[in-house]
Amino acid sequence: MCGRFALYLQAGAFAEIFGCTPPEDLAPRYNIVPDGGIVAVVQGSEGRRAGRLRWGLLPPWAETSDDRGRQINARSETVFEKPTFKSAALRHRCLIPASGFFEWQKGGGASLPYFIHRSDGAPIAMAGIWRQSWFGDTSVASCAILTMDAYPSITGIHHRMPVMLDPVAWDAWLDPSTRDPHLLQRALQPLPEALIAAHEVSRAVNSPANDRPDLVEPMTETTPGAAVPEQGALF
């Protein structure tokens, strides 16, 4: 799954890479959590445009904006079949830019957080779907991130990961005229595994209240939130 990510891309680089102007309030974020507004890129009649969507896709039958059925992730293997996701996947697709995402490695003790990113420092574009829901005169545009089986190199951290689209697939995924699930499934071309790297980070990222640059840095013994090693025997 994908439940946390970071985006600290500057506005100029965003415009150059994604081919549209970013939202005016774009600012570096190092610990983005569900239910907040996240940046997304969609394709319209006049080209690409970027805006904000609430992370947590509301189902088509939602009666309130805080419906408990909202989903932050959708499995790419079944997204065109499940009633919660099907209409959004066929009609409203997006790219969700990120500098990287977090996953937690479960073990015998506390889970260890890792930051997973492109090894060359370039941003990633996670495949997303979105839906506009109306509650009286109020509308909510919500979204979910598609996931897939993790690359073998990171299955030791988590068995699922977001679909990080190869740039050659962006246009096909965004094309609003395409509604054939077979064509769209083929458009879900992930980045080559060789481009992906991961490193352990501070457990300070566990708290949604923390949002600072050191959360994405490789952990060392002096990193805030690092585990304190046990004292070895003297004799």
Side-chain angles (χ1 to χ4, degrees):
M1 64 174 293
C2 177
R4 302 278 185 89
F5 68 96
L7 177 63
Y8 40 85
L9 192 62
Q10 296 298 313
F14 184 105
E16 181 178 355
I17 294 169
F18 292 99
C20 58
T21 303
E24 291 184 359
D25 61 350
L26 181 70
R29 294 290 311 280
Y30 300 92
N31 193 8
I32 298 170
V33 301
D35 285 331
I38 64 175
V39 178
V41 175
V42 300
Q43 182 77 29
S45 58
E46 298 181 358
R48 292 182 189 173
R49 57 186 176 86
R52 290 199 176 271
L53 301 173
R54 194 178 76 177
W55 187 13
L57 185 75
L58 289 164
W61 50 84
E63 297 182 353
T64 64
S65 61
D66 60 351
D67 189 284
R68 295 181 65 181
R70 60 191 185 276
Q71 301 290 323
I72 63 171
N73 293 153
R75 293 177 68 92
S76 61
E77 299 91 339
T78 57
V79 71
F80 300 107
E81 304 167 11
K82 300 293 185 180
T84 300
F85 309 117
K86 183 177 180 179
S87 62
L90 292 177
R91 297 173 179 272
H92 299 116
R93 297 173 299 278
C94 61
L95 304 177
I96 298 175
S99 298
F101 64 97
F102 298 96
E103 283 296 356
W104 279 256
Q105 182 186 59
K106 299 185 184 301
S111 296
L112 302 177
Y114 282 77
F115 187 59
I116 301 169
H117 56 96
R118 281 188 58 143
S119 56
D120 59 5
I124 60 176
M126 300 181 288
I129 58 175
W130 65 281
R131 170 179 291 117
Q132 191 90 27
S133 303
W134 287 89
F135 306 99
D137 295 330
T138 302
S139 69
V140 176
S142 59
C143 67
I145 295 170
L146 271 59
T147 65
M148 60 180 283
D149 286 338
Y151 293 135
S153 59
I154 61 175
T155 52
I157 302 171
H158 199 276
H159 68 287
R160 299 288 291 180
M161 68 179 191
V163 178
M164 297 173 280
L165 287 174
D166 191 304
V168 301
W170 292 2
D171 286 338
W173 178 247
L174 289 177
D175 188 349
S177 68
T178 304
R179 295 185 181 179
D180 183 327
H182 301 290
L183 293 177
L184 292 169
Q185 194 66 251
R186 289 205 294 268
L188 289 171
Q189 300 179 43
L191 287 169
E193 182 177 6
L195 288 178
I196 304 303
H199 58 260
E200 187 180 346
V201 295
S202 166
R203 282 183 285 180
V205 76
N206 293 356
S207 172
N210 294 329
D211 190 351
R212 55 182 194 256
D214 65 277
L215 297 183
V216 303
E217 296 299 325
M219 193 183 72
T220 67
E221 290 185 4
T222 59
T223 299
V228 178
E230 295 181 1
Q231 177 66 53
L234 297 179
F235 301 100

